[in-house]
Amino acid sequence: MTDELVIGGKKLTNRLFLGTGKFPSKKMITEALRRSGAQVVTVALRRIDFEAQEENVLNYIPKDCILMPNTSGARNAEEAVRIAEIARAAGCGNWVKIEVISDNKYLLPDNYETVKATEILVKKGFVVLPYMHPDLMVAKRLQEAGAAAVMPLGSPIGSNRGLKTKEMIRILIEEIDLPVIVDAGIGRPSQAAEAMEMGAAAVLVNTAIATADDPPAMAEAFSLAVQAGRKAFLAGPGRIKEFAEASSPLTGFLR
Amino acid sequence: MSFYELVQKYREFPVEEFWGKVTDSQVEKIIAQDRLNTLDFLALLSEKAQNYLEPMAQKAHRLTVQNFGKVIFLYTPMYLSNYCANQCAYCGFSALNRMPRKKLSLSQVEEEARLIAATGLRHILILTGESRSKAPISYLKECVKILKKYFSSISIEIYPLETEEYRQLVDAGVDGLTIYQETYDELIYDRVHLKGPKKNYRFRLDAPERGARAGMRSVNIGALLGLGDWRKDAFFTGLHAHYLQNKYLDVEISVSLPRLRSYPGTIKEFKPYCQVNDKELVQFMLALRLFLPRCGITISTREAPDFRDNIIGLGVTKMSAGSVTAVGGRINRGKENNIPQFDILDERSVSEIREMILSKGYQPVFKDWHPIEVEVS
C-alpha cells in the first residue's frame, strides 16, 4: 500500500517540501524539484513578479507541483491575511504557509499572531500550514482553528543547526492530531531523516539545499533521507537499551 | 535612550589606545566566535585586523550565504529634484554650487518611472536635494502615487522628517528609508555642513529611529566614508545598526558603505579627511557582516565594476544598477545640463549587472517586496 500524506485533500507521496528563497538561480529551483521529486513548493509572494516573464519564479515551478505561497514579510496577522488573499487572487491557489515574523534578527515566528491569522484564513477557505514555535498549547489552538498541518521550527531559519527543538517536536507529534512538518533549521539529510524517524509527516528544507555547492544533488540527497527516515518510522525502530544484553547473563542462575 | 547617548559614551572611549593594543590572537579568537560584542567589532576595524582579511572573508561569505542565500537584491535611484537648502562642502547639490536646478513634473516622474520599470527593476529609491520648500511632503506623496503603478517597493532618501511626516509617506506607499549620517564625528559634521538645516546633527542622527517608529519596513543608514576617520565612522555605523536592530525588531536594518566621490560643480576645494582604499572598505564590510550577520549591506554604483564584481559573496546583499544621479537622468540622457550629484563608476546597464551576478553563481532579485494595504477595522 502506498504511504500517503493527505493535506487539504491532496495526496502526497513525497514528504520533502522545498523552499525557493535562496537558490543561486531560478533554473536551479526547477532542477532541484526534478531531482528531489518534491511535490510541495513554497514561494514568498513578495518575490513573485507576476508581470515579468523571465523574472517570475512561478515560471520555473512545474505545473504539477503544489504551490504553497508563504506570507514572508508579514509582521502581524492582518498582513499575513492580506498577503494570502493577494496570492490567491493572483492565481496561486488556496494553500498558504503562514509566516508571521516580527523579529528580523533571528526570524522567529510570532505564535500569537500566527494563531490569529490561521483562524481568519481557515474561515476564508484556505488550506493553512502555519510556521510556528513548537509549543503544545499553540499547536492545539492551531488544530482547533482548522490548520491543515503545523510546521514547527527545528532551529532558527537558515541556521542549519538541526533539531534543536527535538523534544518539543516529539511532544507535538505525540499529542497533535495533525501532520507535523518540521520547517526551518534542518541543515543535513541526516537531520531530515532523524525528524522523519521521529514520526514527522514531512520536512520543509530551503537553505541547506539552496546554498549547497550542488543544490540539485543535495535536493536528491534530502529526498532519499526523508524516504529512509519515513521507512524507518513505519518499520518501528527497535528500542534503545540502556544496558548491553549479554549472551551469558550474570543473573541467569536465578531462573 | 537615544542613540545619541551611545555616541557620547563611545566618544569618551580611548579608541586609538584600544586599537593599539589589539593582538593577533585576539583577532583570531574574535573571528572564531559565534557572537561578537561591540568591542569585538571595534577590534575587527583595527589596523591589526587588516592582516586577517582572508579568514574574515571566509566567515563573512558563510554567514551571508546562510542568512541571505546566493542572491543579490537590485534597486535603482531616481532623482526627483536637486534643489537644496544646505551648504555641504562635499556635495554637488550644495546651495553654493551654481548649477541648473530642476524638479520633475509629475508627467516627467511617470516617464522616468516607465523607463526604469522597463528594465525589470521593481525596487526604487527616490531622492531629492534637501529642500523642503521645493520638494515638500505633498509633492513626494504625489510622486509616490505615480510610482506605485510601476514599483513594488519605494524607498526615500530625502531631508530628515518628523515621525508624523514619515508616517504620512508610509501611508502613501513608501516602505523604506535611507538616510546617511554622513559622519558621526560631531565636530567634523559641523565643519563640513556650512549652512542650512542639515547643521542639526542630532535631528539627523535620530531620523532613522523616527522612520522605524513611523512604520518603515526597512531602514538603511550609512556614513559617507572619507568625511571623517573612516574606522571611527565605520564603528559608529555598525553600532547604530546594532542599536536599531535591537530596538526595532520588525524593521529590516541595512547599511550602505558609500565612499566620497568627486562631483561636477564649482566648489572643488573640498579635501576629504581620508581616502578609503578598497582593502579598507572590504575590512569594514567584513567586520560588519561578522558583527551583524542579518544586517543588509548595500554597495552602490559609486564603486567600480571590478570591485563590485569581486565583493559578491563577501557580505554585500544589495546593489544599485543602471544608476543615474541627475534629476530626470533617464529622460534627459545625453542632454546638456544633465548634471549628476556625484560621479558613478559602474555605468553598466541593468541587464549587464544581472548577467554579471548570474555569472558569479548568484541570483539577481528584482522584486523582494509586495505592497500590502491592510484595511483598518
Side-chain angles (χ1 to χ4, degrees):
Chain A
M1 199 173 72
T2 317
D3 177 36
E4 285 174 341
L5 168 64
V6 180
I7 296 179
K10 302 258 178 148
K11 291 176 183 174
L12 306 171
T13 49
N14 188 308
R15 292 167 182 266
L16 171 65
F17 293 11
L18 199 67
T20 53
K22 295 178 175 178
F23 280 86
S25 73
K26 294 184 190 74
K27 285 180 189 151
M28 199 83 88
I29 296 170
T30 315
E31 189 56 15
L33 281 164
R34 190 185 68 77
R35 291 275 290 272
S36 65
Q39 294 166 286
V40 179
V41 55
T42 184
V43 181
L45 175 87
R46 61 190 282 172
R47 286 271 177 95
I48 304 173
D49 188 342
F50 294 100
E51 288 156 20
Q53 277 299 307
E54 202 177 348
E55 296 306 324
N56 186 351
V57 67
L58 298 184
N59 292 336
Y60 296 83
I61 298 170
K63 299 289 172 239
D64 55 352
C65 282
I66 296 168
L67 197 60
M68 178 166 65
N70 69 52
T71 63
S72 164
R75 299 180 292 190
N76 53 48
E78 287 74 18
E79 291 182 352
V81 168
R82 186 74 190 114
I83 291 171
E85 285 175 330
I86 293 169
R88 184 162 69 176
C92 294
N94 68 337
W95 282 44
V96 63
K97 174 187 160 188
I98 299 183
E99 216 177 287
V100 181
I101 291 173
S102 47
D103 148 45
N104 274 301
K105 197 171 173 188
Y106 297 103
L107 302 178
L108 295 172
D110 181 330
N111 275 356
Y112 176 70
E113 294 292 322
T114 301
V115 172
K116 284 206 292 186
T118 302
E119 285 168 348
I120 298 167
L121 288 170
V122 168
K123 284 180 190 150
K124 286 176 182 276
F126 282 88
V127 175
V128 182
L129 293 91
Y131 168 56
M132 61 163 318
H133 267 291
D135 176 297
L136 179 58
M137 294 310 136
V138 172
K140 280 182 184 287
R141 292 211 168 90
L142 290 169
Q143 185 177 321
E144 282 164 20
V150 289
M151 304 183 78
L153 60 91
S155 47
I157 290 178
S159 67
N160 289 346
R161 287 175 187 268
L163 301 174
K164 296 291 180 197
T165 59
K166 188 174 176 181
E167 279 310 295
M168 300 304 121
I169 289 176
R170 186 183 58 75
I171 292 169
L172 295 197
I173 291 170
E174 284 170 8
E175 300 298 327
I176 298 299
D177 194 18
L178 280 181
V180 174
I181 300 166
V182 179
D183 181 5
I186 290 180
R188 298 275 183 275
S190 54
Q191 293 160 352
E194 188 182 5
M196 298 306 295
E197 280 176 22
M198 283 165 62
V203 297
L204 193 153
V205 183
N206 184 183
T207 304
I209 292 174
T211 67
D213 289 343
D214 184 344
M218 187 59 88
E220 188 178 342
F222 264 98
S223 186
L224 292 169
V226 168
Q227 289 174 47
R230 179 65 185 172
K231 274 194 198 306
F233 171 74
L234 293 176
R239 66 187 172 89
I240 296 167
K241 291 179 180 172
E242 200 170 342
F243 303 103
E245 203 166 84
S247 49
S248 304
L250 300 176
T251 53
F253 69 96
L254 294 175
R255 257 180 270 159
Chain B
M1 189 187 74
S2 142
F3 180 63
Y4 187 62
E5 288 167 50
L6 260 183
V7 172
Q8 283 178 313
K9 178 184 154 193
Y10 279 99
R11 191 175 289 149
E12 305 303 317
F13 187 82
V15 177
E16 272 89 4
E17 192 186 325
F18 175 87
W19 278 330
K21 289 180 182 167
V22 171
T23 62
D24 289 312
S25 63
Q26 190 183 347
V27 175
E28 286 167 21
K29 183 171 163 284
I30 291 168
I31 295 171
Q33 281 169 204
D34 270 350
R35 287 191 181 82
L36 274 60
N37 63 30
T38 48
L39 290 184
D40 294 332
F41 173 54
L42 187 61
L44 291 185
L45 291 169
S46 65
E47 281 187 40
K48 177 69 81 181
Q50 205 161 88
N51 300 327
Y52 291 87
L53 291 189
E54 185 53 33
M56 283 169 73
Q58 297 286 346
K59 186 169 180 190
H61 170 70
R62 186 171 58 73
L63 288 172
T64 308
V65 170
Q66 189 173 322
N67 282 289
F68 296 89
K70 289 182 174 170
V71 300
I72 298 287
F73 304 104
L74 294 175
Y75 73 100
T76 204
M78 174 175 172
Y79 282 72
L80 299 176
S81 161
N82 61 4
Y83 287 95
C84 195
N86 294 306
Q87 296 177 9
C88 306
Y90 53 86
C91 178
F93 284 178
S94 168
L96 281 177
N97 204 349
R98 275 193 223 108
M99 63 184 288
R101 301 286 170 173
K102 291 186 211 168
K103 177 174 123 179
L104 294 185
S105 67
L106 296 181
S107 63
Q108 287 173 318
V109 169
E110 179 129 24
E111 207 180 328
E112 182 99 352
R114 206 177 289 130
L115 288 173
I116 296 171
T119 66
L121 291 173
R122 295 291 174 262
H123 287 208
I124 195 163
L125 172 68
I126 54 175
L127 299 95
T128 64
E130 297 205 3
S131 169
R132 266 181 179 270
S133 60
K134 296 289 184 182
I137 306 283
S138 53
Y139 167 72
L140 294 167
K141 286 190 337 200
E142 288 297 317
C143 292
V144 168
K145 201 168 157 186
I146 293 165
L147 295 170
K148 276 166 73 174
K149 292 191 278 180
Y150 298 90
F151 303 102
S152 63
S153 171
I154 302 167
S155 297
I156 50 165
E157 186 176 341
I158 60 167
Y159 47 91
L161 303 179
E162 299 287 358
T163 308
E164 184 44 42
E165 293 173 313
Y166 280 131
R167 194 166 288 129
Q168 283 182 46
L169 289 177
V170 168
D171 291 344
V174 170
D175 58 83
L177 166 65
T178 286
I179 187 155
Y180 299 154
Q181 186 56 29
E182 317 295 16
T183 176
Y184 286 86
D185 185 316
E186 205 166 351
L187 290 176
I188 294 177
Y189 185 94
D190 190 57
R191 207 179 306 141
V192 297
H193 297 109
L194 311 171
K195 264 186 184 171
K198 197 167 174 180
K199 272 194 95 64
N200 190 339
Y201 174 93
R202 179 77 191 268
F203 188 67
R204 195 171 189 87
L205 189 75
D206 291 336
E209 200 162 357
R210 292 195 297 275
R213 272 204 295 270
M216 291 284 178
R217 292 186 165 273
S218 64
V219 169
N220 182 41
I221 59 167
L224 190 49
L225 301 171
L227 279 185
D229 178 328
W230 80 264
R231 291 181 198 279
K232 289 180 188 169
D233 271 334
F235 174 65
F236 280 108
T237 306
L239 200 65
H240 200 174
H242 183 246
Y243 168 88
L244 292 168
Q245 205 176 51
N246 287 341
K247 193 163 176 182
Y248 300 96
L249 294 174
D250 59 347
V251 181
E252 289 179 10
I253 304 299
S254 57
V255 169
S256 285
L257 290 77
R259 286 191 274 194
L260 199 56
R261 285 282 170 227
S262 62
Y263 57 87
T266 53
I267 314 163
K268 284 292 185 189
E269 71 273 21
F270 180 71
K271 294 275 181 294
Y273 181 95
C274 65
Q275 296 285 347
V276 183
N277 64 37
D278 288 357
K279 211 171 162 184
E280 291 167 334
L281 189 70
V282 166
Q283 183 183 4
F284 177 15
M285 184 166 68
L286 300 176
L288 190 68
R289 172 56 66 232
L290 267 56
F291 179 46
L292 302 172
R294 285 265 336 139
C295 182
I297 296 180
T298 305
I299 296 286
S300 76
T301 48
R302 285 169 184 261
E303 300 301 335
D306 270 4
F307 182 77
R308 298 220 313 164
D309 295 1
N310 283 309
I311 56 163
I312 288 181
L314 297 189
V316 60
T317 57
K318 199 170 184 182
M319 283 183 164
S320 48
S323 300
V324 181
T325 67
V327 177
R330 291 154 187 102
I331 52 178
N332 292 319
R333 197 180 287 276
K335 291 183 186 164
E336 277 181 33
N337 288 340
N338 194 26
I339 297 175
Q341 185 189 23
F342 56 85
D343 295 333
I344 60 169
L345 291 183
D346 189 347
E347 294 182 330
R348 289 175 292 183
S349 67
V350 174
S351 60
E352 285 171 321
I353 298 286
R354 178 183 178 278
E355 290 307 314
M356 178 276 288
I357 292 170
L358 283 168
S359 75
K360 292 275 171 187
Y362 277 63
Q363 184 190 158
V365 174
F366 285 54
K367 175 179 182 281
D368 188 43
W369 180 243
H370 196 97
I372 324 167
E373 280 168 20
V374 177
E375 287 168 26
V376 182
S377 53

